[in-house]
Amino acid sequence: MEASSTSLKKIKFGKLKVVRRRLLQRYEHQPFISCLAGFYSCRWKRYQRRRTEPGKCCCKTRECVFFPLLVGAFCFSLVFLYLWGEAKNDYNNFDWYNYGNLGFWFLWSLVLLIVAAILFMYITLLLVLAMCLLAEGQQLYLHWSHKIGTFLVLGFSVAAIFILSVLWGDQWKTVLLSFQITAPYLHIGAITIMVLLSWPMALHAIRADKKVVQVIIVGPYLAILLFLFLIPLGMYSPCIREVGTLGPKPALIGHRGAPMLAPENTEMSFQKTIEHGADGLETDVTISYDGVPFLMHDSTLSRTTNIKEVYPNDTAQNAALFSWDALKELNAGAWFLKDKPFSCMGSLSRADQNQAMNQSIYKLSNFLRLADSQNKLVIFDLYRPPEKHPYRNSWINRTLEVILNESGIRPHLVLWLENDMRSFVQSVAPGFQQTMGSKAPVEDLLTDNIVKLNLAYTEMSSEDIRQLPLDLLKEIC
């Protein structure tokens, strides 16, 4: 009797130990689920949560309808973040657009990139929490504040993509080109995500009690996975090409010098360009009121000089209406350290900062002498002076005088871009390399002796390039 009583006690004690162990396992696991549900649903207490019963839906009808919106917000925010991230070469153009509309300089491109990254990380976190809750067999319930956030992310991403498509539709061509570099990495990342999703997807499919539901869950997953595995068959990327099969490295021309390292269109900017091994220098030429060609991109001097301090009453006046003596008094470098016009500017050494602070407006003749001494090509936009300017009708003649008579630059280094009076320029300076800044029929290119094209890479398709004569194509390439 005593033996059986002892055995019964041992059995009860053993059962209690098993129950205790299961309870400990259950409650040791609860903090993790509490965090998931707390961040996703703001349901931190256990009694507020419900597990998904086998064969039942993972959430109520309203939540089932909203979950695709969460996935859509993730997709659109990812597309916008990638689109804007790959548009980095045009951030300066975007900031210029806003400068022209708002009247002051600010790095709006960087702000937009930061906002896009934050919104994407937020919506990604919600999606990861949802997947973890599904894997733990918990019912989904997204808190109303997160639903508002999801709508904001979705609305912002769709609106931003639409606006960029209308104003800068060429960016989509940039995105397509970027896939030649990023496609292998995006492909590996997509497969990694699908592998991580396999566990919650399998658990959710097993818990479903209807074959139709299982097919709805597993079917799209397998279709996407099959698509990802077939992508490499049609993938083209320089990253996966054999060594020696790529074309020659393109020539590099410094746009206004090296404007991320020094104030644009200054002597320091062009020296930095030469130090970094560029093949040519690009700039913008304006003619002063007394006939001195100088380098200035803007129509006014307010952005890149200290005219507000020296001539406060003339800040809105056209740069070409100042005499050279007046222009020499202006500082053309201090703004660079103050405004930091590029988001990716590196930190300058103390010597570079001091040099930048002492930059002045650069004369065309000095610019050409520097290029000639370093055997660098030059190309420039030539701005016609405004009405009532003494050189309004002789601007090209005056520029040619400086190039041919004052600078001493070898003619073959000059890529002549200005289209006005091109035949006259060819007769006076036959050694210039005639360059066209816009698309034109092949017949016009041959008639004008064009040997170079200065176009954005999105303006010429492969078909356009194939139509060019072989002789011209060799020169352009």
Side-chain angles (χ1 to χ4, degrees), residues 209-253:
D209 59 347
K210 296 180 180 179
K211 293 292 184 181
V212 175
V213 177
Q214 292 179 339
V215 171
I216 292 175
I217 294 173
V218 177
Y221 176 83
L222 293 179
I224 295 173
L225 199 60
L226 178 62
F227 173 74
L228 289 175
F229 280 116
L230 292 177
I231 279 180
L233 298 178
M235 185 182 295
Y236 167 79
S237 174
C239 299
I240 54 178
R241 291 187 61 171
E242 295 182 6
V243 178
T245 60
L246 287 175
K249 180 181 177 181
L252 300 178
I253 295 181

Side-chain angles (χ1 to χ4, degrees), residues 127-235:
L127 202 56
V128 169
L129 291 174
M131 291 295 103
C132 292
L133 286 171
L134 288 176
E136 292 294 333
Q138 299 291 318
Q139 284 193 1
L140 294 183
Y141 172 76
L142 187 62
H143 193 261
W144 64 266
S145 61
H146 289 321
K147 290 178 179 175
I148 294 175
T150 301
F151 277 116
L152 290 176
V153 173
L154 182 61
F156 175 84
S157 301
V158 171
I161 291 173
F162 175 76
I163 293 173
L164 285 177
S165 299
V166 172
L167 298 180
W168 294 282
D170 285 346
Q171 294 302 330
W172 289 109
K173 297 179 181 178
T174 304
V175 169
L176 293 177
L177 286 173
S178 72
F179 286 144
Q180 296 183 12
I181 303 299
T182 61
Y185 309 105
L186 293 174
H187 182 247
I188 294 173
I191 291 179
T192 303
I193 292 174
M194 294 300 289
V195 170
L196 294 176
L197 288 176
S198 61
W199 180 248
M201 291 293 294
L203 287 177
H204 199 54
I206 292 173
R207 287 171 180 157
D209 59 347
K210 296 180 180 179
K211 293 292 184 181
V212 175
V213 177
Q214 292 179 339
V215 171
I216 292 175
I217 294 173
V218 177
Y221 176 83
L222 293 179
I224 295 173
L225 199 60
L226 178 62
F227 173 74
L228 289 175
F229 280 116
L230 292 177
I231 279 180
L233 298 178
M235 185 182 295

Side-chain angles (χ1 to χ4, degrees), residues 2 121 127 153 155 182 208 216 236 247 281-282 292 327 337 374 438 452 464:
E2 292 180 1
M121 288 189 293
L127 202 56
V153 173
T182 61
I216 292 175
Y236 167 79
L281 310 173
E282 186 274 346
V292 177
L327 293 170
L337 300 177
Q374 301 295 325
S438 59
K452 293 285 190 296
D464 293 331

Side-chain angles (χ1 to χ4, degrees), residues 92 96 255-260 262-267 269-270 284 295-298 303-304 332 335-336 341-342:
N92 194 242
W96 260 104
H255 184 66
R256 303 178 209 167
M260 295 182 183
E264 66 179 56
N265 282 335
T266 61
E267 181 180 9
S269 185
F270 296 114
D284 312 275
L295 310 188
M296 181 61 56
H297 175 269
D298 299 7
R303 184 178 66 92
T304 57
W335 69 276
F336 178 76
F342 290 93

